[in-house]
Amino acid sequence: MELFYTVLILLALIAVSHVLNRRIPAVPVPLIQIALGAAVTLIPSGIHMPLEPELFFLLFIAPLLYNDGKHTPRSELWRLRAPILLLAVGLVFATVFVIGYAIHWMIPTIPLPVAFGLAAILSPTDAVAVSALAGRIHLPKQLMHLLEGEALMNDASGLVAFKFAIAAAVTGVFSLPKASVSFLIIAIGGLVAGAVLASMITGFRYLLRRSGLEDETMHMLIHILTPFALYLAAEELGVSGILAAVAGGVMHAVERDRSNKVRPQTNEVSDNTWSVILFLLNGLVFVILGLQIPDVFRTIFESPVYNNYEAIGYALVIFVLLIVLRFLWTFAFSQGRIFGPDKGKVKLSFKILAMTSLSGVRGAVTLAGAFSIPLFIDNGAPFPERSLVIFLATVVILLSLLAASILLPLLAKNDGVRDEEELANKKYRGEMKMMGAAIQALHHATNEENEAETAAVLADYGRWMRQIRQPDVRRSGNLRLSGRETELRIEALGIEREEIQRLLAEGEISREHAALFLKSLEQLELVLSQRSLFLLVILRKLARGLKGILLNKMRLPKLSMSDRQALRQIKQRTSAAVIEAFESRRFDPGRQEGRDIINHYHFLKERLSKPYPGMEQTDHEGNEDVRLELHWIAVQAERDEVQALYERGEITRDIANGLRRIIRDREASILEQE
């Protein structure tokens, strides 16, 4: 049961991390997950999960790299093969020797083979961390493809170099020619084994389909088990299981391209299933990394052998050396004929070189490798400086994540958006995609009982999309409120309240209608003041549930058509009061906000003078609730699409925040019209 509770807590932390990221988008999800993992170990009865390196590589790294191999563009991998190999293999071995000697010179208590091992495990960049950061930082596409290709390949080269260095530290024996041959056999053998085994699994699935076994659940199970089978089989053969998983992912992509036109629905099921698996695995990698940090730090900080400030200083120097070496290596080879189709003409700018250097993020692969260091060497003595090596690796991981999170957004700011026109085009495409997602969600939610209400909501979205295509025309149905305009809207609600009180005092409206109308103004003010609708939605659902429970015990008054018409007439009168009050102010022509408020209320008056689409045809109980519920479904689909665009790097954080403001303002418009 303890393991079960631990898993539940870890999954809950993943959910919490994404909620926090929505609130503080400047902090990337991996850092939040690491912090939550570390925090949960510090509370009384906190969870503790020792890191098992072999299990970690099998359970997390194999499927994640398999997926990366499946989705990384093969044409880009081939086009950038030279720089990828130079970074994934050449830079790894340069790091081992240069940084290894530097570590041994700086910390003489770390023997040279152990220093080589530490440098080797620090050399691979983490594909999971790179992908997580790429979702929030708009990196140039060529750079992103280069980093993805490097991360796919350098895990194997770094881990193999680490294996030989640690073996030399344990046994005291090392042969460079033998190690070089073994490296080639392990690397090439891993790629070949992965490609062959993946082809066999694909052929097996094809035979099953030919025999009539078309059960998608069974085929999905085989697909899920594939990366684990590839990794285990390759390791049993003595070659790289990581490269086998990568090669298997690439082979799956080839098979997918062939079958995409024949079985698109099958691929959709596969994508949906893998999206859930990858969401959990990505989150668990960083949460588990966070779980290890307190113990790693405590071992060094509480030991009288080490000076805490010196230990942190060593890690900082190693991190800077890694960045400088990566920069110099990239600069040196960028001067040759290795980048792009015009190989002889392309020279990378300082900005791209700096981004490439900072993008070499270290992650869970580094920590798992460090934890795999044995406790003792062959003669029975403790492994030299094992705790310090793990501490240095951990601090370098944190520094690389922090540096990339802070500096990369500054370097990547406005990259690819070099003028206002291109920025406007990105916003336009993002808005159209989020509107399309809302329409698709509405189609999925349509059934025989809500066809009329769905048609009404789709009509709204059709009108809003037409307005998006005419950006020079300001429409109230598609508000993009500035801070000043929001203040004026809230002020206008105050004018409406005063008008309601006047009408009630003069006996022109009933107390019941006034109470309903004032309640709607409170809800609208809640949205305009940028507070979450979560509480409002929860209260609404609780009220509807309570209504269902009590319906058989008491007769609740139903809002009749005459009541609805009365409320619409009240809104027309309050709108007229706002228009009169604002027009009397004689707004400065240069201040558009006041005129926009007036135009908005003119729009409402015109809209309310006509029957709401579908009202005459659908006067059954729950009509308004159904229509409003459909609106919330569509709005949530918009929010999800914006987040997806942001995570895929198609829009910047500023554009995402702007689109979320549009959604918030549309909520206010929907609530006001309903």
Side-chain angles (χ1 to χ4, degrees):
M1 288 297 289
E2 183 178 352
L3 178 60
F4 178 73
Y5 288 138
T6 299
V7 172
L8 284 182
I9 292 172
L10 296 183
L11 295 178
L13 292 179
I14 295 173
V16 171
S17 69
H18 284 270
V19 173
L20 292 176
N21 181 249
R22 293 291 184 97
R23 296 297 181 186
I24 44 175
V27 182
V29 174
L31 284 178
I32 296 175
Q33 290 167 341
I34 291 173
L36 290 174
V40 79
T41 64
L42 302 177
I43 61 176
S45 302
I47 64 173
H48 298 275
M49 178 180 286
L51 186 63
E52 297 289 342
E54 288 301 323
L55 180 61
F56 186 85
F57 285 127
L58 171 63
L59 191 58
F60 294 99
I61 304 304
L64 289 172
L65 290 182
Y66 174 81
N67 179 74
D68 288 337
K70 185 171 63 175
H71 289 100
T72 302
R74 298 185 300 282
S75 59
E76 290 297 319
L77 283 178
W78 179 252
R79 188 173 68 86
L80 296 172
R81 61 191 181 279
I84 286 174
L85 288 175
L86 285 170
L87 287 174
V89 179
L91 180 57
V92 165
F93 289 108
T95 301
V96 170
F97 289 104
V98 175
I99 305 299
Y101 276 111
I103 292 172
H104 177 63
W105 174 82
M106 185 170 54
I107 315 173
T109 57
I110 297 182
L112 189 58
V114 178
F116 284 156
L118 175 57
I121 202 59
L122 289 174
S123 60
T125 55
D126 194 309
V128 180
V130 170
S131 300
L133 287 174
R136 60 180 295 271
I137 301 170
H138 187 73
L139 297 175
K141 286 186 177 180
Q142 180 168 322
L143 175 58
M144 195 59 231
H145 291 148
L146 177 63
L147 295 174
E148 289 172 343
E150 177 196 9
L152 287 176
M153 305 295 294
N154 66 7
D155 283 345
S157 55
L159 288 172
V160 171
F162 171 76
K163 175 183 175 182
F164 284 116
I166 296 302
V170 171
T171 63
V173 178
F174 178 76
S175 170
L176 182 59
K178 182 179 178 181
S180 301
V181 174
S182 297
F183 172 77
L184 292 175
I185 293 174
I186 291 172
I188 298 174
L191 291 172
V192 172
V196 171
L197 291 172
S199 299
M200 292 173 61
I201 293 173
T202 299
F204 176 67
R205 292 175 57 201
Y206 176 75
L207 290 176
L208 290 178
R209 291 188 182 279
R210 286 288 302 270
S211 64
L213 294 175
E214 290 283 353
D215 185 1
E216 294 303 334
T217 304
M218 181 192 65
H219 284 276
M220 192 63 238
L221 178 60
I222 296 174
H223 192 188
I224 292 172
L225 295 176
T226 296
F228 306 109
L230 295 175
Y231 182 89
L232 290 172
E235 290 293 322
E236 285 295 322
L237 293 173
V239 295
S240 173
I242 289 177
L243 285 179
V246 172
V250 174
M251 292 302 297
H252 174 81
V254 173
E255 184 254 344
R256 178 191 177 93
D257 291 343
R258 293 174 180 172
S259 64
N260 191 46
K261 295 182 180 180
V262 180
R263 292 186 300 275
Q265 185 176 0
T266 301
N267 292 328
E268 183 178 351
V269 172
S270 174
D271 290 341
N272 292 336
T273 305
W274 270 104
S275 66
V276 176
I277 295 173
L278 295 171
F279 176 83
L280 296 177
L281 292 180
N282 274 299
L284 286 172
V285 163
F286 293 105
V287 172
I288 292 174
L289 193 156
L291 291 176
Q292 315 307 315
I293 289 177
D295 287 337
V296 171
F297 277 51
R298 192 180 300 114
T299 302
I300 297 299
F301 289 167
E302 294 180 356
S303 173
V305 177
Y306 305 104
N307 182 296
N308 297 341
Y309 296 106
E310 285 186 1
I312 295 175
Y314 291 148
L316 182 60
V317 171
I318 293 171
F319 171 69
V320 172
L321 289 175
L322 288 169
I323 295 295
V324 172
L325 178 60
R326 186 176 176 86
F327 181 91
L328 295 176
W329 182 270
T330 309
F331 173 76
F333 284 95
S334 69
Q335 304 305 304
R337 303 170 59 86
I338 62 174
F339 283 89
D342 300 327
K343 297 178 182 179
K345 301 179 181 180
V346 176
K347 302 294 181 184
L348 298 186
S349 66
F350 175 84
K351 179 178 180 180
I352 294 296
L353 289 171
M355 292 174 69
T356 305
S357 303
L358 290 169
S359 299
V361 181
R362 275 69 185 178
V365 171
T366 294
L367 190 63
F371 269 99
S372 69
I373 296 175
L375 295 173
F376 302 97
I377 60 177
D378 277 358
N379 62 11
F383 192 95
E385 301 291 7
R386 181 179 187 273
S387 297
L388 181 59
V389 168
I390 296 175
F391 174 82
L392 294 174
T394 303
V395 177
V396 169
I397 291 171
L398 295 177
L399 289 174
S400 68
L401 282 168
L402 286 170
S405 302
I406 296 170
L407 299 178
L408 274 179
L410 298 178
L411 290 172
K413 189 175 182 181
N414 293 331
D415 192 86
V417 185
R418 297 180 180 154
D419 52 44
E420 290 298 323
E421 182 179 355
E422 188 170 355
L423 178 61
N425 287 336
K426 283 181 174 291
K427 290 181 178 178
Y428 169 78
R429 290 194 295 270
E431 195 167 358
M432 291 299 291
K433 285 184 177 180
M434 77 181 190
M435 297 287 276
I439 292 174
Q440 185 176 8
L442 288 170
H443 284 303
H444 282 303
T446 304
N447 54 48
E448 294 181 358
E449 297 180 356
N450 64 10
E451 286 183 354
E453 293 88 345
T454 303
V457 178
L458 287 172
D460 279 339
Y461 273 91
R463 173 168 54 84
W464 290 328
M465 291 187 76
R466 289 193 296 272
Q467 292 164 7
I468 295 172
R469 296 188 180 102
Q470 301 174 2
D472 57 320
V473 180
R474 180 80 173 190
R475 298 290 188 183
S476 300
N478 194 26
L479 289 173
R480 297 164 175 79
L481 302 185
S482 63
R484 173 59 179 161
E485 194 171 353
T486 300
E487 294 176 4
L488 292 176
R489 283 289 303 276
I490 294 176
E491 186 179 342
L493 295 181
I495 296 173
E496 291 194 67
R497 285 194 181 92
E498 294 176 1
E499 179 67 10
I500 286 294
Q501 297 297 338
R502 186 189 70 80
L503 293 174
L504 181 62
E506 295 178 2
E508 297 188 37
I509 61 175
S510 68
R511 188 173 299 277
E512 290 78 10
H513 289 161
L516 285 170
F517 196 88
L518 289 173
K519 182 64 175 176
S520 71
L521 293 183
E522 290 176 7
Q523 295 176 352
L524 183 57
E525 188 173 15
L526 178 69
V527 178
L528 288 172
S529 60
Q530 302 188 38
R531 283 173 284 177
S532 174
L533 273 176
F534 179 74
L535 181 60
L536 173 63
V537 173
I538 292 297
L539 291 176
R540 180 183 298 277
K541 289 185 177 296
L542 287 174
R544 291 176 63 184
L546 184 62
K547 177 180 176 181
I549 294 172
L550 300 179
L551 192 59
N552 294 328
K553 298 184 178 180
M554 56 185 298
R555 296 181 62 84
L556 295 176
K558 178 185 174 183
L559 197 64
S560 65
M561 181 64 75
S562 61
D563 291 329
R564 300 176 205 163
Q565 190 60 34
L567 291 174
R568 291 163 68 86
Q569 290 173 357
I570 292 172
K571 186 65 177 181
Q572 287 178 284
R573 297 186 67 172
T574 59
S575 298
V578 173
I579 292 171
E580 181 180 357
F582 273 67
E583 286 182 340
S584 65
R585 298 187 183 185
R586 302 182 182 278
F587 284 97
D588 182 351
R591 298 297 300 272
Q592 183 64 31
E593 292 91 345
R595 298 306 312 173
D596 287 339
I597 298 298
I598 294 172
N599 292 338
H600 170 66
Y601 277 92
H602 274 302
F603 168 81
L604 283 177
K605 281 189 65 179
E606 180 183 356
R607 171 82 181 234
L608 292 169
S609 65
K610 302 175 183 178
Y612 193 85
M615 177 175 285
E616 295 90 344
Q617 292 85 354
T618 58
D619 190 23
H620 58 273
E621 183 179 355
N623 175 280
E624 294 80 10
D625 282 341
V626 171
R627 189 163 54 238
L628 195 56
E629 188 71 25
L630 288 169
H631 266 304
W632 297 147
I633 290 173
V635 165
Q636 187 57 47
E638 291 185 66
R639 282 201 173 93
D640 293 341
E641 181 65 17
V642 170
Q643 184 66 19
L645 292 172
Y646 174 58
E647 290 176 354
R648 292 198 300 267
E650 296 184 25
I651 58 176
T652 64
R653 186 177 66 186
D654 291 339
I655 294 177
N657 289 336
L659 294 178
R660 292 187 182 109
R661 284 194 296 271
I662 292 172
I663 296 172
R664 185 206 72 209
D665 299 334
R666 189 170 7 261
E667 283 182 316
S669 178
I670 291 169
L671 196 59
E672 192 165 28
Q673 293 177 33
E674 291 291 347

